[in-house]
Structure formats: C-alpha cells, structure tokens
Amino acid sequence: MKIFAVGMNYAEHNKELHGTLLKTEEPVIFTKADSALLKDHKPFFIPDWSSRVDYETEVVVRICRLGKGIPARFAHRYYDAVTVGIDFTARDMQQKAREKGLPWTICKGFDGSAVIGDWVPVEELNKSLGDLNFHLDINGQTVQQGYTGDMQYSIDELISYISRFFTLKTGDLLYTGTPVGVGPVHIDDHLEGWLEDRKVLNFKCK
C-alpha cells in the first residue's frame, strides 16, 4: 500500500505559506511510509522531537484497481471511496529541510502522520468529487474549511499524473492537498473532520 500526497494544490494555502498565489508547473508529489497511516479514530501522539506539528485537512481518495499511465478522462474509474484525512506536518523540520533543499521524508512521513476517516463510497455522494465541501473542527470550533473545486489540479488530473511514474494498486491512498487555515495541534485537542454533512473523522491528540 502506497500513500501519495500533494503539496501546494490550493492557491490560498500557497499564499499562507509562501506569500504568493503560485501555481506549480506540475503537481508536487510526495509519499508517506505505510507506518504513517492512522485509522479507526485512534489517538495521534504528538512527537517529542518536533516543536510544532501542524494539521493539514485534506480530501483523501482510495484507489480500487490496478493502473498505469491512466488518461485523466478515465481516472474516475480508479477510485471507489473518499474521506477526510489529516496530513500532519512537523513544520519546524520542514522549514529546515526547505532552507537546505532537503527532502520532506521525515517531516511528512513519520509514524501516525497520515490520518484517515471513515470511507464514503463514491456512489453515495450526491455531488462530483470536484464539488465537495469539507472542514475540520478542533475542540468544537471550525479551524479549516475547503472546497475541492478550488484545487489547482483536480483529483483526476492528479491520478493521471502520478500513474505516469508509479503503478497504482488497489488500496493505495491519495491525499489531495490542503486549503488555507493550517495550524498547530496540542495535547488533548479533539479533532473532528467533516465531508459535506458527514462527520468522518474523530480523534484526540495525546
């Protein structure tokens, strides 16, 4: 099982981090280790080696069939479910890596950094995946909201692009990028993620 993720896929988030509404020439793809996966509403343990770990709320899709070199117009055939997830980022370590031009492997791929909620079958949605609203509440207060129509690269475009370089397999996951509004988590925070009117994510930080 592979976990793919996308950086800088929402313009306002790019401005939040970089001060500009940039669009990358190609999707920025990175991967997380399989041990990063955190599911079933289990608690997230904030690592003691980072001074700041940020939540990044994202729509996540589940790959349902084998594929390579997939045209964007056929990409919708390769996923069967969607949920909300958190791409936890050790922001202090990411900043150091950026300054030195180093990979993001540790700051993005550490154990427990890829949280997923309950899956919603695509056929149960009354909207296309390009027309979904999602948000994150922490301790009962909404801290981040997103709309998939604001993505710079759509889900189908991302799947097509990734499949040029990697063979997609059943069970692979794709984190599709985070909108504006990221911030740090703290011990005892209670995180709840919503996909439209469905609460699919519910866990605590330890």
Side-chain angles (χ1 to χ4, degrees), residues 30 32 56 87-89 94 104-110 113:
F30 59 94
K32 289 175 174 272
E56 297 190 11
D87 165 25
F88 276 120
T89 303
Q94 185 187 42
W104 296 358
T105 307
I106 293 175
C107 66
K108 284 285 194 178
F110 61 90
S113 63

Side-chain angles (χ1 to χ4, degrees), residues 32-196:
K32 289 175 174 272
D34 58 3
S35 60
L37 188 64
L38 184 64
K39 58 183 181 178
D40 300 327
H41 310 292
K42 293 179 180 178
F44 170 69
F45 289 89
I46 300 174
D48 59 8
W49 42 259
S50 175
S51 62
R52 173 170 171 158
V53 175
D54 281 6
Y55 60 82
E56 297 190 11
T57 313
E58 313 198 3
V59 166
V60 185
V61 296
R62 183 177 67 193
I63 301 300
C64 64
R65 59 190 294 188
L66 186 72
K68 173 73 174 176
I70 303 165
R73 66 183 183 278
F74 297 135
H76 65 279
R77 301 177 181 177
Y78 288 83
Y79 50 83
D80 65 351
V82 61
T83 190
V84 170
I86 304 290
D87 165 25
F88 276 120
T89 303
R91 192 69 71 197
D92 55 335
M93 295 191 68
Q94 185 187 42
Q95 184 59 38
K96 291 177 182 178
R98 279 198 173 118
E99 291 171 357
K100 297 179 180 179
L102 298 176
W104 296 358
T105 307
I106 293 175
C107 66
K108 284 285 194 178
F110 61 90
D111 288 355
S113 63
V115 186
I116 56 168
D118 300 325
W119 293 108
V120 178
V122 170
E123 61 266 22
E124 290 186 10
L125 297 171
N126 57 9
K127 291 185 172 184
S128 75
L129 266 63
D131 188 33
L132 295 176
N133 293 284
F134 59 102
H135 72 271
L136 176 71
D137 293 351
I138 296 183
N139 303 327
Q141 180 177 354
T142 299
V143 296
Q144 192 175 21
Q145 300 181 74
Y147 172 60
T148 55
D150 291 333
M151 288 181 181
Q152 306 210 64
Y153 295 97
S154 70
I155 291 171
D156 290 354
E157 289 172 329
L158 292 171
I159 287 175
S160 178
Y161 181 80
I162 291 170
S163 72
R164 291 170 55 191
F165 310 100
F166 300 91
T167 298
L168 297 181
K169 296 184 177 181
T170 300
D172 287 350
L173 305 180
L174 172 60
Y175 284 68
T176 57
T178 193
V180 68
V182 302
V185 290
H186 306 91
I187 292 174
D188 293 330
D189 278 350
H190 180 199
L191 280 68
E192 298 171 289
W194 300 76
L195 184 66
E196 292 291 337

Side-chain angles (χ1 to χ4, degrees), residues 4-20:
F4 297 101
V6 185
M8 300 183 288
N9 200 28
Y10 286 82
E12 289 295 334
H13 173 59
N14 297 342
K15 183 177 181 181
E16 175 180 48
L17 290 186
H18 308 287
T20 178

